[in-house]
Amino acid sequence: MGARPPLDPTELARLLRQRRELAAPALFLGATTRDEFMARVREIGAAGPREDQEGATAPPRAVKSTPGPRPGPSAGERMAARTPNEPEAGDRAEMDYDTLRDHAMTCTRCGLAETRNSVVFSDGNPAARLVVVGEAPGANEDRTGLPFVGAAGKLLDLMLASVDLSREDSVYICNVLKCRPPGNRNPQADEIQACSPFLKRQLALVRPEALLAVGTFAAQLLTGRDRPLGRLRGEVHAYEGIPLVVTYHPAALLRNSGWVRPTWDDLQLLRQVMDG
Ligand code: URA
């Protein structure tokens, strides 16, 4: 039998929606679809540019680790010192969505403000059932101002479509950092600290039914645990009372095919959580 062409994520989402409308049994996709998923990951990996594969070279590490001794103030400390009128985290905790977004768009609380082209606040529906939290914008995102638009983004769309979710209707996407770390290096502890009040308030305002953290940085930040991703995934955590599933970053899947199957399992777990 000849190989079937891989399913397009939009088509897959449409088929799955149809199944639901026809009251087909709760979504547990069969082996064929999982194989298609794995084949599609390989295909995206083979075709995609490497420039936006954040996390691809990053060794897993704890986000709360204290940076080593430094000769002087960090870029973030210098920027914060220069902007005394910037609201503190406490003020930000009261902001409505549009005000929060406006503040993020002009934020200078860390050194990334000096090198970014765009602040990448979010994509998708702020009334979404699911929020996906990634690591930080890459080159494509910095150029377009939207999260997950490169090869990793294609794969994220596929991951979502495989459990009948699409970023247009049912998902809101954002990152731990709103600005691109130069050269796609790992986020630094001071950058995460400066930026996370935005994420915290975003999540409080969107208040989704479920959260999906992709990659070590988002997973460690939202679970509050310093464990490697492989030891955080596979269970349902809670972030401020919201069920939280963590899984591998799509960019990591593009370089390690051994993580595709566990990611599939995590997505099924997410779907179960969302199906109540
Ligand atoms: N990787 C991320 O973590 N976030 C993006 O927005 C793009 C790639």
Side-chain angles (χ1 to χ4, degrees):
M1 202 166 69
R4 282 202 278 156
L7 272 181
D8 169 63
T10 318
E11 180 64 6
L12 178 57
R14 195 181 63 76
L15 288 174
L16 294 172
R17 199 170 308 124
Q18 251 175 19
R19 273 173 54 94
R20 267 223 307 227
E21 282 162 10
L22 292 170
L27 186 95
F28 291 102
L29 297 176
T32 310
T33 310
R34 182 171 64 188
D35 289 346
E36 279 171 355
F37 177 74
M38 294 178 78
R40 188 84 178 99
V41 172
R42 278 195 295 275
E43 198 185 88
I44 293 173
R50 289 294 180 271
E51 64 163 2
D52 69 340
Q53 293 190 19
E54 298 74 47
T57 54
R61 69 165 173 77
V63 295
K64 287 199 265 167
S65 63
T66 316
R70 294 188 303 245
S74 70
E77 285 159 353
R78 287 198 308 274
M79 294 298 291
R82 261 192 275 138
T83 55
N85 295 328
E86 180 75 6
E88 289 308 317
D91 304 326
R92 208 168 291 138
E94 305 300 317
M95 285 180 188
D96 65 28
Y97 189 88
D98 289 342
T99 313
L100 184 75
R101 193 170 186 282
D102 289 349
H103 272 88
M105 289 307 176
T106 54
C107 177
T108 53
R109 293 194 62 81
C110 83
L112 298 181
E114 286 173 347
T115 50
R116 73 176 179 228
N117 289 305
S118 314
V119 174
V120 179
F121 189 70
S122 69
D123 191 24
N125 179 358
R129 294 182 64 202
L130 173 72
V131 171
V132 177
V133 182
E135 181 177 312
N140 292 305
E141 291 76 21
D142 183 52
R143 198 163 43 240
T144 58
L146 289 170
F148 283 102
V149 290
K154 271 194 199 149
L155 189 44
L156 179 64
D157 289 351
L158 176 76
M159 287 163 61
L160 295 172
S162 73
V163 283
D164 195 15
L165 295 163
S166 80
R167 74 161 83 192
E168 288 80 25
D169 335 310
S170 32
V171 182
Y172 178 91
I173 303 175
C174 58
N175 284 305
V176 170
L177 294 189
K178 309 292 183 240
C179 300
R180 182 191 183 207
N184 297 341
R185 64 157 167 74
N186 280 348
Q188 290 173 355
D190 60 343
E191 294 161 353
I192 294 173
Q193 198 185 356
C195 209
S196 47
F198 285 114
L199 177 63
K200 196 168 183 223
R201 185 67 184 147
Q202 257 175 319
L203 298 181
L205 288 164
V206 176
R207 190 81 203 164
E209 282 170 38
L211 280 164
L212 176 68
V214 296
T216 305
F217 286 90
Q220 291 185 346
L221 186 66
L222 296 185
T223 61
R225 293 188 182 169
D226 284 355
R227 297 193 190 157
L229 187 62
R231 292 185 50 216
L232 290 173
R233 59 158 295 276
E235 61 179 293
V236 183
H237 304 264
Y239 169 85
E240 303 282 341
I242 305 171
L244 163 68
V245 173
V246 314
T247 196
Y248 292 101
H249 192 287
L253 299 191
L254 295 175
R255 78 190 148 93
N256 189 335
S257 59
W259 289 336
V260 176
R261 195 170 282 249
T263 301
W264 173 266
D265 293 339
D266 295 334
L267 293 169
Q268 298 302 307
L269 181 62
L270 173 70
R271 188 71 237 189
Q272 285 178 44
V273 167
M274 293 187 69
D275 286 345

